[in-house]
Amino acid sequence: MPDSRPSPADAPRPGAKGDLHARIWPFLKFGIVGTTGLVWDTLAVYGFRPLLGLAGATVLAYFIAASMNWLMNRLWTFRHVVHADRPLVQWARFLLASSVGFIMNRGVVFTLFLLFPLCRAFPVLALAAGALAGLAANFTLSHRLVFRHRQRSL
């Protein structure tokens, strides 16, 4: 089973000039991808709401947005990674790892739907709040468990 620890090349060298950049830039890219995921999420909720109702559209939209986020993170945020898993396995790992963020994200979304009629009228408000709630957990789990470097063969 591949090791989920980052490769030595990923580890920032203490005092190295690029330390801060090496740690913050992937998080910012992940956040940018997440913002585009919010667009996918919103479009899917509004598109599927007439067919599935608000709750059904919200659940389906999450999986659409998460799949698009995985693809964009694979191709952009973590493109430097020599991936340990094949794409389909990595996608499944991403959805599994994102389940923590999903619980946080959709917990906030449905709570806001329940408590605030404004969020039911304008779901994008609840979707944005939910996206922020899951960001840190999703980045940490994705970085450590999904977009892992393949171990070198000895």
Side-chain angles (χ1 to χ4, degrees):
M1 182 164 140
D3 192 344
S4 63
R5 290 176 291 167
S7 76
D10 282 343
R13 295 182 319 272
K17 187 176 180 180
D19 277 3
L20 188 59
H21 182 270
R23 284 184 274 163
I24 291 178
W25 184 235
F27 182 76
L28 291 175
K29 288 168 103 174
F30 195 85
I32 291 166
V33 168
T35 301
T36 64
L38 175 60
V39 172
W40 283 105
D41 199 10
T42 301
L43 290 172
V45 166
Y46 281 84
F48 288 108
R49 186 178 187 180
L51 299 170
L52 303 175
L54 184 58
T58 300
V59 171
L60 177 60
Y62 177 81
F63 290 101
I64 292 169
S67 296
M68 294 305 296
N69 282 3
W70 163 76
L71 182 61
M72 291 175 64
N73 278 313
R74 180 178 171 86
L75 297 175
W76 185 50
T77 308
F78 298 103
R79 74 172 176 234
H80 64 283
V81 172
V82 179
H83 299 285
D85 299 310
R86 287 182 228 143
L88 189 58
V89 171
Q90 188 183 62
W91 172 76
R93 289 176 73 94
F94 184 79
L95 291 181
L96 184 62
S98 295
S99 64
V100 173
F102 172 81
I103 291 167
M104 294 170 69
N105 180 316
R106 287 319 192 231
V108 168
V109 170
F110 283 113
T111 299
L112 292 174
F113 285 167
L114 187 65
L115 298 177
F116 299 101
L118 180 66
C119 289
R120 287 191 301 274
F122 300 100
V124 66
L125 300 174
L127 295 171
L132 288 174
L135 175 64
N138 280 343
F139 176 76
T140 301
L141 292 171
S142 290
H143 177 68
R144 293 183 183 194
L145 301 176
V146 179
F147 299 103
R148 309 168 297 142
H149 279 282
R150 181 173 52 219
Q151 294 297 311
R152 294 184 186 140
S153 302
L154 296 177

